[in-house]
Amino acid sequence: MEEFCSGLSGSAQTSSQLSCAAYVAGFRSGYNMNAWALPFEAVCWPDKADNVQLARVFLKWAAENPAKGHEDAASDLLSALSAAYPCPDK
């Protein structure tokens, strides 16, 4: 995922960047549809974050955690977003 999201700045421009933003959109939709099945809420989405911004959050996390960026894309994206947007303890 890091490979096709790299170079993302401003809005998505290239087909790889559009693919990255589309992946994030699909991940977010899937997460929201299945959140009821999780034992806890891992990500508290910011109100106005768009998919390009969320992809940039992933890229920052991947750069800061090079040893962890070898899982599948969904696991890495969940790790990045839950670190950036944690939910308060209930």
Side-chain angles (χ1 to χ4, degrees):
M1 181 168 166
E2 186 176 0
E3 190 173 302
F4 68 83
C5 288
S6 64
L8 196 58
S9 63
S11 60
Q13 302 287 327
T14 68
S15 61
S16 289
Q17 293 168 348
L18 291 170
S19 295
C20 174
Y23 184 88
V24 171
F27 175 88
R28 190 176 191 177
S29 293
Y31 178 91
N32 288 336
M33 285 188 68
N34 294 298
W36 62 269
L38 298 173
F40 61 92
E41 198 168 4
V43 179
C44 284
W45 304 101
D47 289 336
K48 296 185 180 188
D50 64 28
N51 297 320
V52 172
Q53 178 184 350
L54 296 176
R56 282 195 220 108
V57 166
F58 166 76
L59 287 171
K60 181 178 183 293
W61 176 88
E64 293 171 353
N65 298 281
K68 296 182 180 179
H70 304 289
E71 301 295 325
D72 64 273
S75 295
D76 285 345
L77 187 54
L78 181 59
S79 293
L81 295 174
S82 63
Y85 306 113
C87 294
D89 292 334
K90 292 184 178 184

